[in-house]
Amino acid sequence: MTPVLNVHSSILGQAWRWRGLAADARDPSFAPDDLVTQLLLTRGCPREELEAHRSPSIRAFMPDPSIFRDMDRAAERVADAVQRGEQVTVFGDYDVDGATSAALLIRLLRDLGLDPRAYIPDRLMEGYGPSGEALVRLKRDGADLIVTVDCGAMAYDALAEAKAVGAEVIVVDHHKCASELPVALALVNPNRLDEDEGAAHGHLAAVGVAWLLGAALVRVLRARGFFANRAEPRLLDLLDLVALGTVADVAQLKGLNRAFVAQGLKVMTQRRNIGMNALIEASRLTRAPTCTDLGFALGPRINAGGRVGKSDLGVRLLTTEDMDEARTIAQELDRLNEERRAIEAEVQQSAEAMDCDGAVAVVAARGWHPGVIGIVAGRLKEKHGRPAIVIAIGEDGIGKGSGRSISGVDLGAAIIAAKEAGLLIAGGGHAMAAGVTLAEEQIPAFVAFLNAKLADAVERASESRALLLDAVLAPGGVNPQLVEAMEAGGPYGMGWPAPRVVAGPVRLIKCDVVGNGHVRAIVAGDDGRSIKAMAFRAADTPLGLALLGAPRDRRLWIAGRAKIDDWGPRPAAEIHLDDAAWAD
């Protein structure tokens, strides 16, 4: 396959290839709608479904909740709890997916007349997922029914202890399961190995599964006549929570997830959730949130509570009906997020200084804050182009690790295999992210196991590494109208990548370092038009160094995402750089 613009090896050492059909927007006959159609087709949209994907709706993508194993059993039991007025406790994870899943069920159950409680374990003191001690305590404190969200799929011992004291537990999760399932009243998870039709929805985040449980619950109550004298809850009003959890958990934005996010962003603009509104204000967003804002502004602040603060702050914020409380919590999360950034920078600097050869980049050390290791793993993955795991070893010699993977390498399955091989105390996850708990002395054996297990997959992924492009533009073609047109192919995220365009050839007019190591460039093309290009956190990378040192008379092609820069007196378009290549 001939590379785009004959770029076999860019500044970052990769070939440039078309994502699918080529679109050269320098052609005067080019129209934005042509590009939008291409964006949809090259992301897997069947031609006959183009219109449905242009405006993804819940109705178009909604499955029957009953296709999922144990869904009907779970819905019937929760309906019993609603009609009996029982005490329900929602046990969530401390990340965004867990917080939004728990908040969704709590808000729904409140609308149905219950007064549910939330329990979010402390990351440092309790770790991930339900413990037997916590479940037994919740039962003794009066919980008639416990629903775990975004956790529980691998909690064998904890659920066995809960059953021994008569606790009824429903598990709502999306993490990969082993062949043997833990004992529970119901286990709703599209990633159960025995799933049939439901397996097609294995890309859902836990909050999406929780919303489907809510739909099944409302249907059961409707059939029982529960709404004869009361209004049904508006499940669509909860889609802002689903959108936030889905994007923050980096779930693939295909099928139902695209509808969840597209419609959830619309709900978010209505500012009905007091806590969500306070979070948007604390994030200093003055416009309607976008998909990018969910992942890079709102999500990190919710996460900050579980990483370096109080684990339940996110759920409390998203379920409060008190405006003053919402603003107080949102401001606290904003402060904790700044603290998290400082801690993250220290751990990242230390981790990047370590050797991490092999198919999987694994680093471990004592003294690292376990609340930021997942973020640092993501940074290492981007730097090395292979899966990365960062392990924080506690004073007791137990390591808590978090991993991030690359496309084509199923890290979650490898972690489960390591657990079954007796190398881990606990472990699980999904294809792109996973967590582990292990003894310090087991780390070398664990690293050897992962390298042997994933070497072939990582090699295949590396060999096929290329920058995928959607369009080639003259610099003048990078304008707000084009950015707006391309948004019609969204929402974009994992599994439905944002459009990447090439502009050029261009010459550098100005290039400098701004902010925290960001490279800013002003470039001009042969058409006489100039645009701004930003390479974030790139000052010390090959891309940043090449731009800063480029001769002013040498021409470049620049590749990245076209975005709106609204800092000036009027909106302008700019490119957020992913790569560049010499044109001469």
Side-chain angles (χ1 to χ4, degrees):
M1 180 185 298
T2 302
V4 175
L5 302 171
N6 207 34
V7 176
H8 293 270
S9 182
S10 66
I11 287 174
L12 292 181
Q14 54 192 340
W16 287 4
R17 304 195 185 282
W18 290 118
R19 195 182 306 277
L21 306 173
D24 191 335
R26 296 171 297 175
D27 183 341
S29 65
F30 173 83
D33 279 351
D34 297 333
L35 177 58
V36 175
T37 298
Q38 174 192 313
L39 295 176
L40 296 172
L41 292 173
T42 56
R43 282 152 182 78
C45 174
R47 188 171 293 274
E48 64 272 14
E49 297 180 12
L50 282 171
E51 290 309 310
H53 280 76
R54 283 182 190 273
S55 300
S57 67
I58 302 299
R59 181 184 297 273
F61 293 97
M62 175 81 172
D64 181 346
S66 294
I67 67 173
F68 297 93
R69 288 189 179 274
D70 283 3
M71 179 69 83
D72 290 340
R73 184 184 305 167
E76 293 282 352
R77 179 61 186 90
V78 180
D80 291 342
V82 169
Q83 292 188 295
R84 297 170 187 164
E86 293 181 334
Q87 178 59 59
V88 178
T89 297
V90 181
F91 188 114
D93 186 24
Y94 37 65
D95 69 358
V96 184
D97 193 17
T100 52
S101 299
L104 185 150
L105 289 183
I106 287 169
R107 295 182 74 90
L108 175 58
L109 292 174
R110 279 181 187 169
D111 285 347
L112 294 171
L114 295 186
D115 184 21
R117 300 172 183 171
Y119 186 92
I120 309 295
D122 182 271
R123 180 190 290 264
L124 299 181
M125 301 302 295
E126 299 178 79
Y128 168 78
S131 66
E133 179 183 354
L135 295 179
V136 169
R137 184 169 64 251
L138 291 176
K139 171 62 177 176
R140 289 174 178 166
D141 287 345
D144 298 303
L145 178 64
I146 302 169
V147 183
T148 73
V149 289
D150 196 30
C151 57
M154 299 288 287
Y156 299 98
D157 294 341
L159 291 172
E161 289 182 48
K163 183 178 181 181
V165 297
E168 292 188 277
V169 182
I170 293 173
V171 174
V172 178
D173 204 351
H174 71 129
H175 293 99
K176 285 187 175 292
C177 296
S179 54
E180 178 185 354
L181 298 174
V183 60
L185 180 69
L187 197 158
V188 184
N189 185 339
N191 286 307
R192 287 174 54 153
L193 296 182
D194 59 349
E195 266 295 350
D196 295 320
E197 290 182 71
H201 299 277
H203 58 286
L204 292 178
V207 69
V209 183
W211 191 87
L212 290 173
L213 173 59
L217 169 62
V218 169
R219 184 170 62 183
V220 170
L221 290 172
R222 185 187 305 126
R224 294 183 183 184
F226 183 76
F227 301 114
N229 298 307
R230 63 184 299 158
E232 289 191 15
R234 287 179 51 84
L235 285 170
L236 295 181
D237 288 349
L238 299 173
L239 287 177
D240 54 349
L241 295 170
V242 183
L244 177 56
T246 297
V247 173
D249 212 52
V250 202
Q252 291 192 29
L253 295 193
K254 63 180 184 179
L256 182 57
N257 276 348
R258 294 195 65 238
F260 278 153
V261 175
Q263 300 305 317
L265 286 170
K266 294 178 182 178
V267 173
M268 208 171 286
T269 63
Q270 299 167 9
R271 306 290 182 98
R272 293 181 179 178
N273 185 313
I274 291 172
M276 187 77 77
N277 190 38
L279 181 65
I280 293 170
E281 291 178 354
S283 302
R284 291 170 282 282
L285 294 177
T286 57
R287 47 167 172 71
T290 65
C291 195
T292 299
D293 295 326
L294 303 188
F296 292 96
L298 306 187
R301 285 169 170 80
I302 293 291
N303 255 335
R307 294 187 187 280
V308 298
K310 297 179 180 178
S311 59
D312 66 345
L313 285 176
V315 173
R316 286 172 51 198
L317 174 66
L318 298 173
T319 57
T320 185
E321 298 297 337
D322 185 310
M323 189 171 296
D324 290 335
E325 181 185 27
R327 287 173 176 162
T328 299
I329 295 175
Q331 290 168 4
E332 174 67 1
L333 287 172
D334 187 52
R335 184 191 68 79
L336 290 170
N337 192 48
E338 291 300 318
E339 181 180 334
R340 184 270 305 168
R341 287 178 176 174
I343 295 171
E344 173 197 330
E346 293 180 5
V347 175
Q348 182 177 341
Q349 183 178 14
S350 175
E352 288 183 343
M354 295 182 172
D355 293 329
C356 46
D357 296 329
V360 181
V362 182
V363 293
R366 290 177 177 260
W368 286 348
H369 195 299
V372 301
I373 55 177
I375 302 173
V376 175
R379 300 270 192 252
L380 290 180
K381 177 202 74 171
E382 294 298 328
K383 179 179 180 179
H384 297 292
R386 50 197 166 99
I389 298 177
V390 179
I391 303 172
I393 304 170
E395 295 181 359
D396 58 358
I398 301 300
K400 299 291 182 67
S402 186
R404 298 293 183 269
S405 195
I406 60 176
S407 296
V409 180
D410 191 335
L411 184 60
I415 294 298
I416 291 175
K419 171 69 167 60
E420 293 176 339
L423 298 174
L424 306 177
I425 297 170
H430 45 79
M432 300 301 289
V436 299
T437 301
L438 75 170
E440 182 176 8
E441 59 269 19
Q442 286 282 53
I443 292 177
F446 172 60
V447 173
F449 179 90
L450 282 185
N451 285 333
K453 184 82 173 175
L454 296 176
D456 290 344
V458 172
E459 183 178 1
R460 287 193 299 271
S462 299
E463 288 175 350
S464 62
R465 179 172 174 259
L467 192 73
L468 300 181
L469 304 168
D470 293 286
V472 176
L473 306 160
V478 183
N479 54 51
Q481 293 73 31
L482 178 83
V483 177
E484 182 179 352
M486 289 192 300
E487 285 303 309
Y492 299 107
M494 178 60 66
W496 197 271
R500 185 182 287 117
V501 302
V502 176
V506 298
R507 288 183 174 86
L508 281 165
I509 304 300
K510 177 183 177 182
C511 190
D512 56 2
V513 178
V514 297
N516 187 23
H518 310 313
V519 176
R520 176 181 59 189
I522 306 299
V523 301
D526 295 340
D527 61 356
R529 302 291 295 275
S530 63
I531 55 174
K532 182 171 76 173
M534 294 291 301
F536 295 101
R537 294 189 300 273
D540 296 324
T541 69
L543 176 60
L545 294 173
L547 293 172
L548 291 166
R552 295 297 184 262
D553 60 348
R554 192 171 184 188
R555 300 193 306 169
L556 289 155
W557 295 103
I558 56 174
R561 327 273 178 166
K563 299 286 187 178
I564 295 294
D565 176 11
D566 50 14
W567 284 97
R570 64 177 185 272
E574 63 184 21
I575 292 184
H576 293 181
L577 293 179
D578 293 318
D579 201 355
W582 303 113
D584 299 321

